[in-house]
Amino acid sequence: GENVEQHPSTLSVQEGDSAVIKCTYSDSASNYFPWYKQELGKRPQLIIDIRSNVGEKKDQRIAVTLNKTAKHFSLHITETQPEDSAVYFCAASRTGTASKLTFGTGTRLQVTL
Amino acid sequence: NAGVTQTPKFRILKIGQSMTLQCTQDMNHNYMYWYRQDPGMGLKLIYYSVGAGITDKGEVPNGYNVSRSTTEDFPLRLELAAPSQTSVYFCASSYGGSDEKLFFGSGTQLSVL
């Protein structure tokens, strides 16, 4: 089955700096890669996703890049703000498999003032 | 729309007891899922359903059962609770097909003592 590794497990940045979270996956047939944000005590929420036919996708201050050859994808957050503090999960799946996502272990991002 | 509603929010069980976690969604989503979240371990898929009357095992199904008699409801049954089932449980749903975004419930914190 799919295996997703995520690094780092914790990340502390100053407000205004950029943050990068990296994930690798094992199944070369995976073609859907979402990122979920989970604030403390809250439910996970989708913030951005990318499919394997695209190398990069941006949405305001967040972007995701995908390298299919190396089987890794990354989340980039620019101009970080205190409200970006949360746990971020990457995931991978094959389209058409009922979205049976395999999640990474999460990255706790702390944005300090 | 209420989205995905889970009950209860908290529960303490004694070893060997049984209980049912309730999940209902009002978005007319075809797919529903149960995940468990252990500290530092990400989200693991327990069971999923692609429609009423259809269920299938995920990554960690042992000790659990599900049913899907209607599109809206997807209860998770724990039989003979064990300490290893102490976790936060999330129900989720998605429309399916090319729309793979997961909508999560608010979670159930379960402790088995």
Side-chain angles (χ1 to χ4, degrees):
Chain A
E2 175 66 278
N3 182 50
V4 177
E5 295 188 357
Q6 183 171 348
H7 299 280
S9 57
T10 60
L11 179 61
S12 183
V13 300
Q14 285 196 322
E15 183 179 6
D17 288 350
S18 296
V20 181
I21 303 170
K22 299 181 180 182
C23 290
T24 60
Y25 61 98
S26 61
D27 185 357
S28 57
S30 288
N31 54 9
Y32 175 65
F33 308 94
W35 287 87
Y36 283 81
K37 174 184 179 182
Q38 186 177 28
E39 297 177 4
L40 188 62
K42 301 289 182 65
R43 69 194 77 188
Q45 292 189 307
L46 179 72
I47 56 171
I48 195 167
D49 57 12
I50 192 169
R51 299 186 185 276
S52 59
N53 59 345
V54 175
E56 183 177 4
K57 184 176 180 181
K58 291 183 179 180
D59 184 3
Q60 299 182 334
R61 294 187 299 108
I62 60 172
V64 57
T65 58
L66 171 65
N67 183 326
K68 289 187 294 183
T69 303
K71 289 190 285 188
H72 69 70
F73 56 112
S74 300
L75 178 71
H76 305 254
I77 306 174
T78 59
E79 301 174 12
T80 53
Q81 301 169 2
E83 53 264 39
D84 295 328
S85 295
V87 178
Y88 293 81
F89 293 97
C90 63
S93 73
R94 300 183 189 185
T95 301
T97 58
S99 296
K100 288 187 294 181
L101 291 168
T102 299
F103 283 85
T105 51
T107 296
R108 182 172 299 280
L109 173 64
Q110 181 69 45
V111 179
T112 58
L113 298 175
Chain B
N1 287 349
V4 180
T5 302
Q6 273 182 252
T7 56
K9 292 190 182 300
F10 305 94
R11 185 71 185 270
I12 298 175
L13 286 180
K14 294 182 179 178
I15 294 172
Q17 287 186 320
S18 300
M19 76 163 294
T20 299
L21 280 66
Q22 301 292 343
C23 177
T24 188
Q25 53 91 9
D26 62 358
M27 297 175 283
N28 202 31
H29 283 172
N30 296 310
Y31 296 176
M32 296 188 74
Y33 313 81
W34 276 104
Y35 285 90
R36 60 176 287 172
Q37 184 176 34
D38 300 316
M41 296 298 293
L43 293 145
K44 301 286 188 183
L45 182 63
I46 305 171
Y47 270 95
Y48 69 100
S49 168
V50 299
I54 306 170
T55 63
D56 209 345
K57 296 178 180 179
E59 188 179 357
V60 290
N62 292 344
Y64 308 94
N65 275 300
V66 294
S67 61
R68 183 100 181 265
S69 57
T70 67
T71 300
E72 295 78 19
D73 301 307
F74 191 43
L76 178 71
R77 178 79 177 165
L78 279 73
E79 304 281 0
L80 300 175
S84 60
Q85 293 178 304
T86 294
S87 188
V88 178
Y89 291 84
F90 286 99
C91 179
S93 70
S94 68
Y95 189 75
S98 60
D99 187 350
E100 300 178 76
K101 177 180 178 180
L102 292 182
F103 291 81
F104 285 88
S106 57
T108 297
Q109 174 72 61
L110 175 68
S111 296
V112 181
L113 305 175

